[in-house]
Amino acid sequence: MAEFLQQVVEGLGAGAIYAGLALALVLIYRFTGVVNFAQGELAMFSTYIAWQFMAGGMAFWLALPLTLAVSFVGGMLIERVIIRPVEGAPELTVVIVTVGLFIFVNAAAGWIWSFLIKDFPSPFPAGSAQAGALTVSYSTLGNLAVVAVVMGALYLLFQHTKIGLGMRGVAADPRSARLVGIRVGWMLALGWGLAALVGAVSGVLVAPLLFLEPNMMGGVLLYAFAAATLGGFDSPVGAVVGGLIVGVAETLAGAYVGFIGSDLKVGVPLAIILAALLLRPQGLFGRAAVRQ
């Protein structure tokens, strides 16, 4: 039993990372209806920016807020310059644009910083805490705490600020929001900016575990898609819950399903995506689309 609980705890730590990137995917989809296939690469690029600040002698806790600010502005610019021109275009067009953005950002990171692996410091202390028979690393506790703080901040933004109310209005009905005076264009840009900021947090959490290199977020993006699909692409809470479930499922499958092991764990998110689409396409916390 203790070993099982240990695996669950480790899965929750991994799931917190998946939840962060899934939350970024959900934010963009909820406000713009766009599935951003470049979300992982944007998170990777933001992590390189943080690394560059620290390579220049800046302390981590000073580099982090600067990185988040740059990521936020960068996300808004991407919406304005790249996504806005194809607004209203067929969905396939938008998908192709985000895939093209994926390729461009990946190539740009390799060109600027090279494809060599770089070390990235962990924001959390080394070691672990002991709780009975369980051993919980400080990085796992830190990852869970960061996701909880991000969720709390988003809740306060959406429920208790005028900007959040405007963003919710745009997400519910852009045409009606425009009629009551909400600047829909700015709300959409803010959605992309917030998603880029949340993605940057995810990248900073991933880099100490995987090392920093341009392709580091490829696998994480797959798990994030599984988390968003399971929880519901229109539900931030679902993204977090889905991420935690995916993390635990992956860890338990790798530990207890013999033919999966550590080599075939990547099949777990694919199976979750398939099962969710077949059994509950809107996700656990999502709402089914109603067309009149």
Side-chain angles (χ1 to χ4, degrees), residues 187-213:
M187 293 298 105
L188 297 179
L190 283 174
W192 273 79
L194 279 176
L197 186 153
V198 174
V201 173
S202 176
V204 169
L205 295 179
V206 169
L209 303 176
L210 301 181
F211 297 105
L212 180 60
E213 53 97 13

PDB file of all heavy atoms in Angstrom, residues 187-213:
ATOM      1  N   MET A 187      -9.709  41.854 -25.334  1.00  0.00           N
ATOM      2  CA  MET A 187      -9.957  40.708 -24.463  1.00  0.00           C
ATOM      3  C   MET A 187      -9.323  39.434 -25.036  1.00  0.00           C
ATOM      4  O   MET A 187      -8.749  38.618 -24.307  1.00  0.00           O
ATOM      5  CB  MET A 187     -11.459  40.490 -24.269  1.00  0.00           C
ATOM      6  CG  MET A 187     -12.170  41.587 -23.495  1.00  0.00           C
ATOM      7  SD  MET A 187     -11.611  41.803 -21.794  1.00  0.00           S
ATOM      8  CE  MET A 187     -10.640  43.308 -21.951  1.00  0.00           C
ATOM      9  N   LEU A 188      -9.415  39.270 -26.366  1.00  0.00           N
ATOM     10  CA  LEU A 188      -8.792  38.111 -26.995  1.00  0.00           C
ATOM     11  C   LEU A 188      -7.273  38.166 -26.848  1.00  0.00           C
ATOM     12  O   LEU A 188      -6.622  37.146 -26.585  1.00  0.00           O
ATOM     13  CB  LEU A 188      -9.183  38.050 -28.475  1.00  0.00           C
ATOM     14  CG  LEU A 188     -10.669  37.850 -28.767  1.00  0.00           C
ATOM     15  CD1 LEU A 188     -10.912  37.835 -30.268  1.00  0.00           C
ATOM     16  CD2 LEU A 188     -11.180  36.567 -28.144  1.00  0.00           C
ATOM     17  N   ALA A 189      -6.707  39.359 -27.026  1.00  0.00           N
ATOM     18  CA  ALA A 189      -5.257  39.505 -26.861  1.00  0.00           C
ATOM     19  C   ALA A 189      -4.845  39.206 -25.424  1.00  0.00           C
ATOM     20  O   ALA A 189      -3.809  38.566 -25.179  1.00  0.00           O
ATOM     21  CB  ALA A 189      -4.828  40.916 -27.260  1.00  0.00           C
ATOM     22  N   LEU A 190      -5.658  39.661 -24.458  1.00  0.00           N
ATOM     23  CA  LEU A 190      -5.362  39.365 -23.057  1.00  0.00           C
ATOM     24  C   LEU A 190      -5.414  37.861 -22.794  1.00  0.00           C
ATOM     25  O   LEU A 190      -4.609  37.332 -22.019  1.00  0.00           O
ATOM     26  CB  LEU A 190      -6.359  40.087 -22.147  1.00  0.00           C
ATOM     27  CG  LEU A 190      -6.137  41.584 -21.920  1.00  0.00           C
ATOM     28  CD1 LEU A 190      -7.285  42.174 -21.128  1.00  0.00           C
ATOM     29  CD2 LEU A 190      -4.809  41.837 -21.214  1.00  0.00           C
ATOM     30  N   GLY A 191      -6.348  37.170 -23.445  1.00  0.00           N
ATOM     31  CA  GLY A 191      -6.425  35.721 -23.284  1.00  0.00           C
ATOM     32  C   GLY A 191      -5.147  35.044 -23.756  1.00  0.00           C
ATOM     33  O   GLY A 191      -4.628  34.146 -23.078  1.00  0.00           O
ATOM     34  N   TRP A 192      -4.636  35.455 -24.909  1.00  0.00           N
ATOM     35  CA  TRP A 192      -3.376  34.897 -25.407  1.00  0.00           C
ATOM     36  C   TRP A 192      -2.217  35.266 -24.486  1.00  0.00           C
ATOM     37  O   TRP A 192      -1.316  34.455 -24.247  1.00  0.00           O
ATOM     38  CB  TRP A 192      -3.104  35.389 -26.823  1.00  0.00           C
ATOM     39  CG  TRP A 192      -3.746  34.535 -27.862  1.00  0.00           C
ATOM     40  CD1 TRP A 192      -5.062  34.548 -28.237  1.00  0.00           C
ATOM     41  CD2 TRP A 192      -3.125  33.507 -28.649  1.00  0.00           C
ATOM     42  NE1 TRP A 192      -5.286  33.604 -29.206  1.00  0.00           N
ATOM     43  CE2 TRP A 192      -4.126  32.956 -29.482  1.00  0.00           C
ATOM     44  CE3 TRP A 192      -1.824  33.030 -28.736  1.00  0.00           C
ATOM     45  CZ2 TRP A 192      -3.854  31.930 -30.386  1.00  0.00           C
ATOM     46  CZ3 TRP A 192      -1.554  32.005 -29.626  1.00  0.00           C
ATOM     47  CH2 TRP A 192      -2.556  31.460 -30.441  1.00  0.00           C
ATOM     48  N   GLY A 193      -2.239  36.481 -23.966  1.00  0.00           N
ATOM     49  CA  GLY A 193      -1.173  36.884 -23.051  1.00  0.00           C
ATOM     50  C   GLY A 193      -1.180  36.068 -21.783  1.00  0.00           C
ATOM     51  O   GLY A 193      -0.129  35.614 -21.308  1.00  0.00           O
ATOM     52  N   LEU A 194      -2.362  35.844 -21.214  1.00  0.00           N
ATOM     53  CA  LEU A 194      -2.458  35.024 -20.000  1.00  0.00           C
ATOM     54  C   LEU A 194      -2.012  33.591 -20.259  1.00  0.00           C
ATOM     55  O   LEU A 194      -1.321  32.979 -19.439  1.00  0.00           O
ATOM     56  CB  LEU A 194      -3.902  35.030 -19.484  1.00  0.00           C
ATOM     57  CG  LEU A 194      -4.349  36.232 -18.667  1.00  0.00           C
ATOM     58  CD1 LEU A 194      -5.828  36.111 -18.337  1.00  0.00           C
ATOM     59  CD2 LEU A 194      -3.534  36.348 -17.388  1.00  0.00           C
ATOM     60  N   ALA A 195      -2.408  33.056 -21.418  1.00  0.00           N
ATOM     61  CA  ALA A 195      -2.011  31.689 -21.744  1.00  0.00           C
ATOM     62  C   ALA A 195      -0.497  31.583 -21.886  1.00  0.00           C
ATOM     63  O   ALA A 195       0.114  30.608 -21.431  1.00  0.00           O
ATOM     64  CB  ALA A 195      -2.693  31.236 -23.036  1.00  0.00           C
ATOM     65  N   ALA A 196       0.125  32.583 -22.516  1.00  0.00           N
ATOM     66  CA  ALA A 196       1.585  32.571 -22.656  1.00  0.00           C
ATOM     67  C   ALA A 196       2.257  32.668 -21.295  1.00  0.00           C
ATOM     68  O   ALA A 196       3.279  32.010 -21.042  1.00  0.00           O
ATOM     69  CB  ALA A 196       2.032  33.731 -23.549  1.00  0.00           C
ATOM     70  N   LEU A 197       1.679  33.461 -20.392  1.00  0.00           N
ATOM     71  CA  LEU A 197       2.234  33.590 -19.036  1.00  0.00           C
ATOM     72  C   LEU A 197       2.139  32.265 -18.284  1.00  0.00           C
ATOM     73  O   LEU A 197       3.114  31.806 -17.673  1.00  0.00           O
ATOM     74  CB  LEU A 197       1.478  34.696 -18.301  1.00  0.00           C
ATOM     75  CG  LEU A 197       1.962  35.107 -16.907  1.00  0.00           C
ATOM     76  CD1 LEU A 197       1.585  36.565 -16.644  1.00  0.00           C
ATOM     77  CD2 LEU A 197       1.356  34.238 -15.806  1.00  0.00           C
ATOM     78  N   VAL A 198       0.966  31.626 -18.326  1.00  0.00           N
ATOM     79  CA  VAL A 198       0.794  30.341 -17.640  1.00  0.00           C
ATOM     80  C   VAL A 198       1.705  29.280 -18.258  1.00  0.00           C
ATOM     81  O   VAL A 198       2.302  28.459 -17.558  1.00  0.00           O
ATOM     82  CB  VAL A 198      -0.679  29.902 -17.687  1.00  0.00           C
ATOM     83  CG1 VAL A 198      -0.840  28.490 -17.114  1.00  0.00           C
ATOM     84  CG2 VAL A 198      -1.549  30.878 -16.911  1.00  0.00           C
ATOM     85  N   GLY A 199       1.825  29.305 -19.592  1.00  0.00           N
ATOM     86  CA  GLY A 199       2.727  28.372 -20.258  1.00  0.00           C
ATOM     87  C   GLY A 199       4.167  28.566 -19.829  1.00  0.00           C
ATOM     88  O   GLY A 199       4.923  27.594 -19.674  1.00  0.00           O
ATOM     89  N   ALA A 200       4.572  29.825 -19.636  1.00  0.00           N
ATOM     90  CA  ALA A 200       5.935  30.096 -19.181  1.00  0.00           C
ATOM     91  C   ALA A 200       6.188  29.484 -17.810  1.00  0.00           C
ATOM     92  O   ALA A 200       7.265  28.941 -17.541  1.00  0.00           O
ATOM     93  CB  ALA A 200       6.169  31.609 -19.131  1.00  0.00           C
ATOM     94  N   VAL A 201       5.191  29.562 -16.920  1.00  0.00           N
ATOM     95  CA  VAL A 201       5.320  28.924 -15.601  1.00  0.00           C
ATOM     96  C   VAL A 201       5.533  27.422 -15.764  1.00  0.00           C
ATOM     97  O   VAL A 201       6.389  26.812 -15.101  1.00  0.00           O
ATOM     98  CB  VAL A 201       4.071  29.210 -14.751  1.00  0.00           C
ATOM     99  CG1 VAL A 201       4.115  28.413 -13.450  1.00  0.00           C
ATOM    100  CG2 VAL A 201       3.967  30.697 -14.444  1.00  0.00           C
ATOM    101  N   SER A 202       4.769  26.813 -16.679  1.00  0.00           N
ATOM    102  CA  SER A 202       4.918  25.379 -16.923  1.00  0.00           C
ATOM    103  C   SER A 202       6.312  25.053 -17.435  1.00  0.00           C
ATOM    104  O   SER A 202       6.936  24.079 -17.002  1.00  0.00           O
ATOM    105  CB  SER A 202       3.859  24.912 -17.929  1.00  0.00           C
ATOM    106  OG  SER A 202       4.028  23.553 -18.252  1.00  0.00           O
ATOM    107  N   GLY A 203       6.824  25.853 -18.358  1.00  0.00           N
ATOM    108  CA  GLY A 203       8.164  25.611 -18.893  1.00  0.00           C
ATOM    109  C   GLY A 203       9.240  25.694 -17.834  1.00  0.00           C
ATOM    110  O   GLY A 203      10.181  24.885 -17.809  1.00  0.00           O
ATOM    111  N   VAL A 204       9.108  26.667 -16.937  1.00  0.00           N
ATOM    112  CA  VAL A 204      10.090  26.821 -15.861  1.00  0.00           C
ATOM    113  C   VAL A 204      10.056  25.629 -14.911  1.00  0.00           C
ATOM    114  O   VAL A 204      11.089  25.227 -14.351  1.00  0.00           O
ATOM    115  CB  VAL A 204       9.828  28.142 -15.103  1.00  0.00           C
ATOM    116  CG1 VAL A 204      10.642  28.214 -13.822  1.00  0.00           C
ATOM    117  CG2 VAL A 204      10.156  29.333 -15.996  1.00  0.00           C
ATOM    118  N   LEU A 205       8.880  25.028 -14.734  1.00  0.00           N
ATOM    119  CA  LEU A 205       8.775  23.840 -13.883  1.00  0.00           C
ATOM    120  C   LEU A 205       9.331  22.598 -14.570  1.00  0.00           C
ATOM    121  O   LEU A 205       9.889  21.709 -13.921  1.00  0.00           O
ATOM    122  CB  LEU A 205       7.309  23.602 -13.494  1.00  0.00           C
ATOM    123  CG  LEU A 205       6.639  24.658 -12.615  1.00  0.00           C
ATOM    124  CD1 LEU A 205       5.196  24.283 -12.352  1.00  0.00           C
ATOM    125  CD2 LEU A 205       7.387  24.859 -11.303  1.00  0.00           C
ATOM    126  N   VAL A 206       9.182  22.528 -15.897  1.00  0.00           N
ATOM    127  CA  VAL A 206       9.630  21.351 -16.644  1.00  0.00           C
ATOM    128  C   VAL A 206      11.139  21.321 -16.819  1.00  0.00           C
ATOM    129  O   VAL A 206      11.783  20.270 -16.702  1.00  0.00           O
ATOM    130  CB  VAL A 206       8.939  21.304 -18.028  1.00  0.00           C
ATOM    131  CG1 VAL A 206       9.585  20.256 -18.926  1.00  0.00           C
ATOM    132  CG2 VAL A 206       7.460  21.015 -17.870  1.00  0.00           C
ATOM    133  N   ALA A 207      11.732  22.471 -17.120  1.00  0.00           N
ATOM    134  CA  ALA A 207      13.148  22.531 -17.508  1.00  0.00           C
ATOM    135  C   ALA A 207      14.098  21.876 -16.511  1.00  0.00           C
ATOM    136  O   ALA A 207      15.022  21.161 -16.924  1.00  0.00           O
ATOM    137  CB  ALA A 207      13.552  23.984 -17.766  1.00  0.00           C
ATOM    138  N   PRO A 208      13.940  22.059 -15.191  1.00  0.00           N
ATOM    139  CA  PRO A 208      14.880  21.395 -14.271  1.00  0.00           C
ATOM    140  C   PRO A 208      14.786  19.873 -14.303  1.00  0.00           C
ATOM    141  O   PRO A 208      15.736  19.178 -13.939  1.00  0.00           O
ATOM    142  CB  PRO A 208      14.465  21.943 -12.894  1.00  0.00           C
ATOM    143  CG  PRO A 208      13.741  23.203 -13.179  1.00  0.00           C
ATOM    144  CD  PRO A 208      13.035  22.976 -14.479  1.00  0.00           C
ATOM    145  N   LEU A 209      13.640  19.343 -14.761  1.00  0.00           N
ATOM    146  CA  LEU A 209      13.448  17.892 -14.783  1.00  0.00           C
ATOM    147  C   LEU A 209      13.933  17.268 -16.092  1.00  0.00           C
ATOM    148  O   LEU A 209      14.414  16.140 -16.099  1.00  0.00           O
ATOM    149  CB  LEU A 209      11.962  17.560 -14.577  1.00  0.00           C
ATOM    150  CG  LEU A 209      11.318  18.111 -13.294  1.00  0.00           C
ATOM    151  CD1 LEU A 209       9.840  17.780 -13.272  1.00  0.00           C
ATOM    152  CD2 LEU A 209      12.014  17.552 -12.066  1.00  0.00           C
ATOM    153  N   LEU A 210      13.787  18.005 -17.195  1.00  0.00           N
ATOM    154  CA  LEU A 210      14.104  17.439 -18.514  1.00  0.00           C
ATOM    155  C   LEU A 210      15.350  18.029 -19.150  1.00  0.00           C
ATOM    156  O   LEU A 210      15.768  17.561 -20.199  1.00  0.00           O
ATOM    157  CB  LEU A 210      12.913  17.676 -19.468  1.00  0.00           C
ATOM    158  CG  LEU A 210      11.568  17.087 -19.044  1.00  0.00           C
ATOM    159  CD1 LEU A 210      10.519  17.408 -20.109  1.00  0.00           C
ATOM    160  CD2 LEU A 210      11.669  15.584 -18.853  1.00  0.00           C
ATOM    161  N   PHE A 211      15.939  19.036 -18.569  1.00  0.00           N
ATOM    162  CA  PHE A 211      16.998  19.840 -19.157  1.00  0.00           C
ATOM    163  C   PHE A 211      16.402  20.769 -20.224  1.00  0.00           C
ATOM    164  O   PHE A 211      15.357  20.477 -20.801  1.00  0.00           O
ATOM    165  CB  PHE A 211      18.125  18.997 -19.760  1.00  0.00           C
ATOM    166  CG  PHE A 211      18.851  18.161 -18.743  1.00  0.00           C
ATOM    167  CD1 PHE A 211      18.648  16.792 -18.660  1.00  0.00           C
ATOM    168  CD2 PHE A 211      19.728  18.754 -17.855  1.00  0.00           C
ATOM    169  CE1 PHE A 211      19.313  16.024 -17.716  1.00  0.00           C
ATOM    170  CE2 PHE A 211      20.403  17.998 -16.900  1.00  0.00           C
ATOM    171  CZ  PHE A 211      20.189  16.636 -16.836  1.00  0.00           C
ATOM    172  N   LEU A 212      17.069  21.859 -20.461  1.00  0.00           N
ATOM    173  CA  LEU A 212      16.568  22.878 -21.373  1.00  0.00           C
ATOM    174  C   LEU A 212      17.110  22.646 -22.772  1.00  0.00           C
ATOM    175  O   LEU A 212      18.311  22.695 -23.001  1.00  0.00           O
ATOM    176  CB  LEU A 212      16.981  24.270 -20.864  1.00  0.00           C
ATOM    177  CG  LEU A 212      16.531  25.455 -21.709  1.00  0.00           C
ATOM    178  CD1 LEU A 212      15.006  25.492 -21.822  1.00  0.00           C
ATOM    179  CD2 LEU A 212      17.047  26.762 -21.098  1.00  0.00           C
ATOM    180  N   GLU A 213      16.227  22.400 -23.717  1.00  0.00           N
ATOM    181  CA  GLU A 213      16.586  22.278 -25.135  1.00  0.00           C
ATOM    182  C   GLU A 213      15.314  22.507 -25.952  1.00  0.00           C
ATOM    183  O   GLU A 213      14.201  22.383 -25.440  1.00  0.00           O
ATOM    184  CB  GLU A 213      17.229  20.917 -25.436  1.00  0.00           C
ATOM    185  CG  GLU A 213      16.452  19.713 -25.001  1.00  0.00           C
ATOM    186  CD  GLU A 213      15.645  19.138 -26.140  1.00  0.00           C
ATOM    187  OE1 GLU A 213      15.892  19.543 -27.291  1.00  0.00           O
ATOM    188  OE2 GLU A 213      14.777  18.296 -25.885  1.00  0.00           O
TER     189      GLU A 213
END
